[in-house]
């Protein structure tokens, strides 16, 4: 696995910073997508790429949240 993406090699503090950066980028992409969709001449290919990037970020956010907040088995 790529060291850049290996969560086990990162401290919780680093993961928290990354989580905030990814959340902010996800929000920014969401706003950009909405603005493009509101424009009647939105480029569909660009929209698809932005949506795909947003999904990748969502998955990455979920991975980090799972690492920081593990499920508690009762």
């Amino acid at each position: 696995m790529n060291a850049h993406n290996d969560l086990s090699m990162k401290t919780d503090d680093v993961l928290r910073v990354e989580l905030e950066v990814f959340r902010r980028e996800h929000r920014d992409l969401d706003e950009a997508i909405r603005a493009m969709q509101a424009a009647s001449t939105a480029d569909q290919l660009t929209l698809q790429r932005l949506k795909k990037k947003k999904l990748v970020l969502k998955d990455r956010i979920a991975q980090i949240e799972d690492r920081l907040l593990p499920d508690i088995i009762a």
Side-chain angles (χ1 to χ4, degrees):
M1 180 178 238
N2 186 335
H4 177 70
N5 292 327
D6 190 1
L7 297 179
S8 65
M9 300 296 289
K10 296 180 180 180
T11 66
D12 286 357
D13 290 336
V14 169
L15 290 173
R16 284 186 187 92
V17 170
E18 283 187 358
L19 184 60
E20 281 308 308
V21 170
F22 292 150
R23 284 178 175 161
R24 187 175 310 119
E25 190 173 348
H26 187 270
R27 276 191 307 269
D28 291 347
L29 282 172
D30 196 36
E31 291 173 16
I33 290 167
R34 272 187 287 203
M36 286 184 72
Q37 288 174 331
S40 59
T41 59
D43 177 18
Q44 293 302 310
L45 182 59
T46 302
L47 272 174
Q48 287 176 337
R49 287 178 177 161
L50 291 176
K51 287 178 179 181
K52 184 176 180 177
K53 186 171 182 178
K54 186 178 163 194
L55 285 174
V56 169
L57 282 170
K58 182 179 178 183
D59 289 343
R60 189 77 177 135
I61 289 167
Q63 289 173 344
I64 294 173
E65 287 174 340
D66 287 348
R67 162 76 194 283
L68 292 174
L69 305 168
D71 291 336
I72 299 173
I73 299 173

